[in-house]
Amino acid sequence: MELLPKKIEKELPELYATEHIKTAEKILQVRYLSIYTNWEWYLVEYKQEEQLAFGYVKGHENEWGYFSLKEFQEINDESLKIVRDENFTPTKFKDIKELQNGGN
């Protein structure tokens, strides 16, 4: 499975493009899951050249931050499996109730 198909990648906002949008209104574009842990990553913005994403991370702490799809790929090669949720539909942050406990 591709972590970020070209079709999706072309439609993603660039890094910092959604700075002016309130947190509750930000669109979570892509969801990633770790098969062996409870971690989740929700991509909001993306810089293609660096394979760097900004979004919401649900793990030990729930917070907004940066994550690297290049590192995800490297991790996958070493056996910790991170996959894209192929059934996820882009959704506003405020509309995903299970994230609201740790959201800003």
Side-chain angles (χ1 to χ4, degrees):
M1 168 196 300
E2 281 185 277
L3 285 176
L4 189 58
K6 293 292 180 192
K7 179 182 176 192
I8 296 173
E9 183 179 61
K10 289 191 293 188
E11 298 176 5
L12 294 174
E14 289 284 327
L15 279 185
Y16 311 111
T18 69
E19 279 186 319
H20 64 286
I21 298 174
K22 291 182 181 181
T23 299
E25 298 297 319
K26 288 190 185 293
I27 304 289
L28 307 177
Q29 304 282 344
V30 182
R31 178 182 182 215
Y32 296 98
L33 307 162
S34 173
I35 291 176
Y36 303 116
T37 70
N38 291 326
W39 282 65
E40 299 175 23
W41 297 263
Y42 294 85
L43 188 152
V44 174
E45 303 169 348
Y46 186 68
K47 185 166 185 172
Q48 180 179 2
E49 302 80 34
E50 297 174 19
Q51 297 181 357
L52 182 65
F54 174 78
Y56 192 71
V57 181
K58 184 177 171 190
H60 295 298
E61 300 288 329
N62 297 341
E63 61 189 351
W64 291 91
Y66 295 89
F67 52 94
S68 168
L69 296 189
K70 182 178 181 181
E71 287 180 10
F72 282 5
Q73 190 61 53
E74 291 169 1
I75 289 169
N76 282 342
D77 292 342
E78 296 172 4
S79 78
L80 180 62
K81 201 69 173 153
I82 298 172
V83 298
R84 177 176 45 87
D85 179 350
E86 295 182 88
N87 297 313
F88 184 77
T89 302
T91 307
K92 288 183 180 180
F93 181 73
K94 70 180 181 181
D95 294 332
I96 301 183
K97 303 299 182 209
E98 62 268 17
L99 299 182
Q100 299 313 304
N101 295 345
N104 300 347

